[in-house]
Every structure is written in C-alpha cells, then in structure tokens.
C-alpha cells in the first residue's frame, strides 16, 4: 500500500490541532459530495457550515475530518479555524517536498488552459501534481498544496483573483520557482478604481512568492509588459519573454491553423523550432510559447514539452469542439461557455473566422461578460466591430449587458436577443442548421453553459 498522504498525527502537528483518534488519509477535500474512501474531509465555513456535512463525509468513506468543533462518526483533528488549518497543511506539504519544482500561473485570459498544458508536460516528465478545475483562490490553492504527494518531482498551481491583495499571499504560500502572467485585460475591473492598471498591479503580486533567481515568464505583447517586468526584476526574477516581438526569448514566427489543430514555427532562445498543436485557436500560439518557457524553467526537456502540446486538447467549456448530428446532417459546436471577457471574445471571433471547414454559417451565441463595472455597456457594444471584421454571419445574445451589443449590430447579423440564457436556448436550437459552426461564449455566471448543453443535446433528441 502506498504511503499515506496524511496521518492524524501529521495533520495535528502541521495545524497545531488536537487529534481524536487515528487515521491515514490518501486525499483531501472540503466538498462532501466529492468524498472518496480514504479522504480527509475539511469542514470549512461557507454559505453553510461544513460541520453539517461531516456525518455524510464519514458515510461516504472519509478516513478523518479536520474540524473546529468535536464531531461524531469518525476520528478527527480539532483546530481553532479550519481554513487557517488548511493553509497550514498546504505549507507543510510544500516544506516536506523540498525536491519539488513548483510553477504558478495567473493572467486575465488563458491561465487555466496554460496551467493544464503545463501539467500535461509535467506528467510526461515524471511524477507531477497540479491544480484541478479552476482551484485558484484562497481555498483552492492551499487545498491543491495539501493534496500534493510527498514524492512528486514537479507541480503547477493556478492563482486567480477578484481584488487586489489576493494573489500575493497565495504566491507566498506556493513559493514557486517559476511564474507566468499570460496576459492582462479588463477582467474584474469593477473592483479596481484605476481599471486595467490596477488589474496589472494585482497580477504582479504573483512575483511575491518567487525566490532569488526565480523565473518570470511574461507576455511581451501585453500593454502592461513594462510594469510587470519592472515588478519581476524588483523581486530578483530572471525574466523570459514570449510573443511576437523579435527581441523576445520565445518568438512566434508562424501559426497555421486547420480543422484538427495548428502547425507552429517559433524561435526559442534563438533556435528555430517547429511543432504541432491539437489546438486551432490563434491564442494558442502565444499560449504554447508560455507553456514551453514554463516547462523549461521546471526542468522539462523540450522534446517532452512538445510531445505534451501535440496531444493537449481544449478543455471543457474552453474551446472544446464536437460535431452534433441533426436531421439533414450535422453542425459543429464550439463550447467556450466557461468564461468570457473582451480579450477572449475577440480571440474567439478571430478563430472562428479562420476556420476553413465551414460550409454553413458562422454563428456566435453570447451571454453577458461580468464584472466590467461602468465600462460594461461600452465594452459589450465594442464587440460589434470585431464581429463584423470576422465576417460572423449571425449573432444571438442574452443578458442586459449584451443588449448593448444587439442594438448596434448590423440588422443582417442580428439573430435574437433574450433576457437570459434559459430564454435564448430554445431560440438558438431552433435556428441551427446542418453545416453551421456555432460558438457559445459568455461568463460562467451568465450561464452560457445552458445554451451549449441544449445544443449538444439536439443529437440525443434526434436519436430518440
């Protein structure tokens, strides 16, 4: 049997808690619905008190619990505050694995996809660990650390934020050897009085956890590059630059997408490199360079990194494509429903325009971009120009903010507007025809996924 991830005594020692009974845990979770046999269940205080779910966690096979009040049903470690204890557990997992090369990724766009692409390379190179889903906040980061096995060689962590001051503590907790800022854009700007400049400074907090000589991988095409570079150098980082500028360290020289992916040529540290991607989107040109520089900083050989990129496919809700059979043929559904902001919207339009396998219409279905503050109306209406430039045939929109776009669209491109995603879904499913390519995109909170799900289920309806 493999060595336990945590024993009751180790948890008590790491957290300063009091163990009541013995256990050996192989995993850590705070969601009682996801408990696997052998997990340590952490009773966090959220919308509901996690202690309400301890009994259910034990019934599902939890080996022990981390609690701030005595419980029945199984062994536990009693602490004063369970979130603080989870953080302490994460720091202990970091410290007991001094051999682990750690990377961290942030950015307004692409951080989850780049993190998972890096993870794919780490997995090929040896025993690895990393973030799952978008576990990138004050709970997700310490949880990911606490889940890190003792014997891994490399790990990668996604770090996100909604406000200033959130990334710094998480970076200091991870203490990465290399970090990446994918790009900075108008995301969460309603929480920043000075807009994007505030967002850029918040992203720069990721350098706070870097030790001397750590690597900062930065986007040379980003308008905030100079600010980020200065902040990184102040922390003693070694800066590695990716993008299109010939003076960069990883320079994109050609990107040729097709229906299955893309062929890329680049110059990396002055050497010509050609490789294949399983991702056709243009944003995967710079994303792939960021991934390669991060993998290099984490001691992954280039051939292994390129092998990982060649097989790394779009994540669910982040560009995954599927053919949906309907009467008379099929259409292609591109699911970008997990998140959206002005940068990723324009990238999506550009990618759709570049497809050469379209025999029907290019259709976009858009729901509100959130957290844009008083710039929301302007930024939504501003999508009309790139939509026209991309020669999108038809645009369906949902949400009060997207109404700003609907009003300024050329009449021939205006599909339909609805108050919300649920109301728009049947309109879109009725409109789609064989040969169409349909991209669904919106912020997670505006429920674009409802529309993507309805479109995907047209195939099941047909089969019935």
């Amino acid at each position: 049997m493999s060595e336990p991830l945590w024993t009751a005594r180790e948890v008590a020692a790491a957290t300063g808690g009091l163990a009541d009974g013995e256990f050996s845990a192989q995993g850590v979770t705070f969601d009682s619905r996801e408990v696997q046999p052998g997990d340590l269940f952490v009773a966090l205080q959220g919308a509901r008190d996690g202690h309400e779910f301890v009994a259910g966690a034990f019934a599902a096979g939890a080996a022990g619990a981390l609690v701030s009040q005595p419980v029945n049903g199984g062994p536990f470690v009693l602490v004063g505050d369970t979130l603080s204890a989870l953080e302490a557990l994460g720091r202990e997992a970091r410290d007991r694995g001094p051999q682990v090369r750690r990377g961290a990724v942030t950015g307004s766009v692409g951080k989850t996809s780049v993190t998972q692409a890096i993870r794919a390379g780490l997995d090929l190179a040896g025993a690895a660990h990393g973030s799952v889903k978008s576990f990138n906040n004050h709970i997700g980061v310490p949880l990911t650390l606490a889940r890190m096995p003792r014997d891994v060689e490399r790990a990668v962590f996604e770090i996100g934020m909604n406000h200033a001051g959130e990334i710094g503590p998480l970076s200091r907790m991870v203490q990465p050897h290399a970090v990446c800022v994918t790009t900075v854009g108008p995301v969460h700007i309603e929480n920043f009085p000075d807009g994007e400049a505030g967002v850029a400074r918040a992203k720069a907090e990721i350098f706070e956890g870097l030790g001397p000589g750590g690597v900062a991988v930065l986007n040379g095409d980003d308008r905030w590059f100079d600010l980020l570079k200065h902040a990184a150098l102040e922390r003693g980082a070694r800066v590695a630059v990716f993008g299109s500028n010939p003076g960069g360290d990883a320079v994109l020289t050609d990107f040729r997408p097709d229906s299955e992916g893309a062929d890329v040529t680049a110059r990396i540290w002055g050497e010509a490199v050609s490789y294949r991607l399983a991702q056709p989107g243009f944003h995967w040109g710079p994303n792939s360079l960021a991934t390669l520089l991060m993998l290099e900083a984490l001691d992954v050989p280039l051939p292994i990194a390129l092998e990982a990129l060649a097989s790394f496919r779009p994540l669910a809700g982040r560009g995954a494509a599927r053919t949906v059979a309907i009467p008379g043929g099929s259409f292609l559904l591109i699911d970008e429903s997990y998140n959206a902001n002005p940068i990723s919207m324009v990238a999506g339009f550009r990618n759709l325009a570049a497809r050469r396998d379209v025999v029907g219409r290019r259709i976009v279905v858009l729901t509100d971009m959130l957290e844009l503050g008083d710039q929301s109306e302007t930024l939504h209406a501003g999508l009309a120009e790139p939509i026209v430039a991309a020669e999108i045939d038809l645009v369906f929109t949902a949400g009060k903010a997207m109404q700003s776009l609907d009003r300024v669209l050329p009449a021939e491109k205006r599909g339909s507007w609805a108050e919300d995603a649920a109301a728009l879904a049947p309109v879109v499913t009725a409109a789609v025809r064989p040969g169409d390519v349909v991209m669904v995109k919106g912020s997670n909170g505006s429920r674009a996924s409802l529309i993507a799900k309805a479109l995907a289920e047209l195939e099941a309806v047909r089969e019935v």
Side-chain angles (χ1 to χ4, degrees):
M1 185 175 177
S2 61
E3 187 177 13
L5 183 66
W6 295 104
T7 66
R9 292 183 182 183
E10 288 171 338
V11 173
T15 62
L18 179 65
D20 187 293
E22 296 288 337
F23 62 76
S24 294
Q26 296 295 342
V28 183
T29 187
F30 66 92
D31 189 337
S32 61
R33 298 166 297 182
E34 297 182 357
V35 170
Q36 297 296 313
D39 276 354
L40 169 65
F41 176 70
V42 184
L44 295 178
Q45 181 70 54
R48 293 180 63 181
D49 187 346
H51 293 84
E52 297 176 23
F53 304 98
V54 172
F58 280 131
L66 184 59
V67 296
S68 59
Q69 63 192 50
V71 295
N72 298 315
F76 60 87
V77 173
L78 184 65
V79 296
D81 179 83
T82 51
L83 179 57
S84 296
L86 178 61
E87 293 169 351
L89 210 58
R91 288 190 292 270
E92 175 62 23
R94 177 201 68 204
D95 292 344
R96 74 183 184 184
Q99 79 285 354
V100 182
R101 292 284 294 176
R102 295 179 300 276
V105 180
T106 194
S108 299
V109 182
K111 60 181 175 293
T112 299
S113 294
V114 169
T115 299
Q116 296 305 322
I118 293 168
R119 173 65 189 273
L122 301 186
D123 284 336
L124 278 182
H129 178 67
S131 303
V132 297
K133 302 179 183 177
S134 287
F135 280 15
N136 62 23
N137 65 2
H138 67 291
I139 296 173
V141 173
L143 178 68
T144 302
L145 271 169
R147 289 173 167 176
M148 187 168 69
R150 307 166 190 265
D151 58 352
V152 300
E153 300 170 16
R154 303 173 183 87
V156 62
F157 300 82
E158 179 182 340
I159 301 182
M161 64 88 192
N162 293 314
H163 299 83
E166 293 177 343
I167 289 179
L170 299 178
S171 179
R172 294 193 298 273
M173 187 182 301
V174 171
Q175 292 185 5
H177 300 91
V179 301
C180 174
V181 182
T182 58
T183 190
V184 174
V187 182
H188 310 303
I189 55 174
E190 70 176 10
N191 301 324
F192 291 87
D194 51 353
E196 274 190 55
V199 175
R201 283 190 290 272
K203 296 300 183 186
E205 293 174 22
I206 199 168
F207 308 132
E208 293 180 16
L210 274 179
V215 178
V217 175
L218 303 179
N219 185 346
D221 297 328
D222 193 289
R223 62 180 293 207
W224 301 104
F225 170 73
D226 288 338
L227 182 153
L228 293 169
K229 180 181 178 181
H230 178 74
L233 292 175
E234 278 194 328
R235 292 282 173 175
R238 177 170 63 85
V239 174
V241 182
F242 67 93
S244 60
N245 191 311
D249 303 304
V251 183
L252 185 68
T253 55
D254 195 22
F255 187 92
R256 298 187 180 186
D258 54 51
S259 60
E260 301 297 325
D263 291 314
V264 185
T265 57
R267 294 192 68 81
I268 301 176
W269 304 113
E271 297 294 325
V273 179
S274 298
Y275 54 97
R276 178 71 181 170
L277 292 177
Q279 311 260 5
F282 283 100
H283 56 291
W284 269 98
N287 279 358
S288 66
L289 296 179
T291 300
L292 292 174
L293 288 177
M294 282 291 291
L295 287 170
E296 179 196 51
L298 298 175
D299 297 334
V300 175
L302 181 61
I304 292 178
L306 295 178
E307 181 183 351
L309 283 175
S311 59
F312 180 72
R313 299 197 171 277
L315 302 174
R318 293 181 168 90
R322 61 174 292 180
T323 300
V324 181
I326 56 175
S330 64
F331 70 93
L332 184 68
L333 171 62
I334 302 174
D335 183 0
E336 290 265 11
S337 64
Y338 187 81
N339 214 343
N341 55 65
I343 295 175
S344 64
M345 281 286 191
V346 173
F349 304 151
R350 185 185 180 202
N351 294 337
L352 193 55
R355 296 194 74 99
R356 296 291 173 258
D357 54 348
V358 182
V359 296
R361 300 169 297 176
R362 290 178 171 84
I363 298 174
V364 293
V365 186
L366 310 176
T367 64
D368 286 353
M369 302 180 289
L370 304 180
E371 298 185 22
L372 297 179
D374 58 9
Q375 295 186 46
S376 180
E377 182 176 345
T378 300
L379 291 171
H380 280 83
L383 298 178
E385 183 177 344
I387 284 171
V388 171
E391 299 182 343
I392 305 298
D393 295 297
L394 206 54
V395 182
F396 292 87
T397 54
K400 291 183 179 179
M402 273 298 169
Q403 194 168 25
S404 301
L405 170 62
D406 183 71
R407 289 178 180 138
V408 299
L409 283 170
E412 68 275 11
K413 296 186 183 297
R414 193 176 299 142
S416 183
W417 172 85
E419 289 191 0
D420 55 37
L424 186 63
V427 179
V428 175
T429 56
V432 69
R433 301 199 299 247
D436 289 343
V437 178
V438 185
M439 182 183 78
V440 181
K441 191 164 182 63
S443 289
N444 194 35
S446 59
R447 306 180 74 189
S449 59
L450 286 178
I451 302 170
K453 184 172 183 287
L455 286 165
E457 289 175 347
L458 284 176
E459 186 166 76
V461 171
R462 184 191 72 87
E463 290 173 350
V464 171

